Amino acid sequence: QVQLVQSGAEVKKPGASVKVSCKAAGYIFTRYAMHWVRQAPGQRLEWMGWINGGNGDTECSQKFQGRVTITSDTSANIAYMELSSLRSEDTAVYYCARELPTGHDAFDIWGQGTMVTVSS
Amino acid sequence: DIVLTQSPDSLSVSLGERATINCKSSQSVLYSSNNENHLAWYRQKPGQPPKLLIYWASTRESGVPDRFSGSGSETDFTLTISSLQAEDVAVYYCQQYYSTPITFGQGTRLEIK
């Protein structure tokens, strides 16, 4: 069964970093791109960046001004998203999502989401 | 950045009736190299991740009921649910993947009248 399983909820203080994992199962990890999307309470979905599952190339949204790092461990079929210098506005549910295999495409499989709360 | 604006923000429709949601893009998402519109539609139920319904503006994802259809081109798109079912109560989002940053509409909340 194709699925993405994310790590559990996190509570962080302002200024800290958080690293969310996304374990893929049921498909060949290196053949697909993985994206990260977040959703703050009551807000629209917000794209953060993506990683090429095959060669590890990444692209991140300029909105995050270098605060986000996306990596992967192909031996374990896991993608990671690390967000640093956390602030209260980063409180959100963070999702990983697999891109359809044709490239430059929509997201067909999503993780269950990881709630990250930033609070002092 | 490409801005997607959905209308209406909320919609109330009777069971079995048609529901129509619109998505307008600030620029064309028609990709000349493959002549496809890089636009998708998702449904998100409370506490769940989004679920892909339609991609390439009009291609139904595998397993999605045929009451869901997508249409439109370049900057104007529509998601139609031909006969509303109770399980369709959700928020619907359009997404453009024509260029990064990938962006989403603000969402349309669909309720039963």
Side-chain angles (χ1 to χ4, degrees), chain A residues 35 37 39 43-47 50 59 61-62 95 99-100 102-113, chain B residues 4 31 38 40 42 44 47-52 55-56 61 93 95 97-106:
Chain A
H35 294 253
V37 176
Q39 188 171 37
Q43 301 300 308
R44 73 177 70 189
L45 299 157
E46 181 176 36
W47 179 78
W50 72 284
E59 179 185 4
S61 171
Q62 292 185 1
Y95 295 102
E99 181 182 318
L100 282 164
T102 50
H104 212 234
D105 215 324
F107 306 158
D108 66 335
I109 305 294
W110 293 65
Q112 83 275 19
Chain B
L4 299 180
Y31 207 53
H38 286 217
Y42 297 84
Q44 186 177 32
Q48 296 185 18
K51 173 183 167 56
L52 179 63
Y55 58 98
W56 300 129
E61 168 70 335
Y93 294 94
Q95 174 210 32
Y97 45 94
Y98 177 88
S99 65
T100 56
I102 292 169
T103 51
F104 295 82
Q106 82 277 18

Side-chain angles (χ1 to χ4, degrees), chain B residues 6-81:
Chain B
Q6 293 181 226
S7 61
D9 289 333
S10 63
L11 184 60
S12 185
V13 175
S14 299
L15 288 173
E17 295 299 306
R18 178 185 300 262
T20 301
I21 299 170
N22 300 300
C23 177
K24 187 171 185 66
S25 176
S26 61
Q27 64 187 75
S28 175
V29 297
L30 178 61
Y31 207 53
S32 58
S33 66
N34 61 4
N35 201 37
E36 295 281 7
N37 289 282
H38 286 217
L39 187 113
W41 289 96
Y42 297 84
R43 177 177 71 183
Q44 186 177 32
K45 296 182 179 181
Q48 296 185 18
K51 173 183 167 56
L52 179 63
L53 300 173
I54 302 285
Y55 58 98
W56 300 129
S58 61
T59 300
R60 199 177 303 114
E61 168 70 335
S62 175
V64 172
D66 61 7
R67 65 179 182 273
F68 291 92
S69 64
S71 63
S73 185
E74 296 192 46
T75 61
D76 291 279
F77 301 90
T78 299
L79 173 70
T80 301
I81 308 172

Side-chain angles (χ1 to χ4, degrees), chain A residues 6-27:
Chain A
Q6 298 183 222
S7 49
E10 302 263 13
V11 179
K12 296 290 183 181
K13 293 192 181 303
S17 297
V18 67
K19 191 170 186 177
V20 180
S21 68
C22 171
K23 183 168 177 58
Y27 71 94

Side-chain angles (χ1 to χ4, degrees), chain A residues 2-120:
Chain A
V2 176
Q3 61 178 347
L4 301 174
V5 179
Q6 298 183 222
S7 49
E10 302 263 13
V11 179
K12 296 290 183 181
K13 293 192 181 303
S17 297
V18 67
K19 191 170 186 177
V20 180
S21 68
C22 171
K23 183 168 177 58
Y27 71 94
I28 298 174
F29 182 82
T30 54
R31 292 188 181 175
Y32 293 79
M34 190 76 78
H35 294 253
W36 289 89
V37 176
R38 76 178 186 179
Q39 188 171 37
Q43 301 300 308
R44 73 177 70 189
L45 299 157
E46 181 176 36
W47 179 78
M48 301 181 71
W50 72 284
I51 185 166
N52 182 313
N55 62 19
D57 286 348
T58 63
E59 179 185 4
C60 297
S61 171
Q62 292 185 1
K63 171 180 176 172
F64 297 96
Q65 297 177 316
R67 293 197 298 134
V68 63
T69 303
I70 297 173
T71 58
S72 68
D73 178 349
T74 56
S75 67
N77 295 337
I78 300 176
Y80 299 94
M81 186 284 301
E82 184 170 22
L83 186 61
S84 61
S85 302
L86 290 168
R87 34 209 190 223
S88 59
E89 310 90 88
D90 295 318
T91 293
V93 177
Y94 290 76
Y95 295 102
C96 58
R98 187 184 81 164
E99 181 182 318
L100 282 164
T102 50
H104 212 234
D105 215 324
F107 306 158
D108 66 335
I109 305 294
W110 293 65
Q112 83 275 19
T114 297
M115 182 70 213
V116 175
T117 302
V118 182
S119 174
S120 54

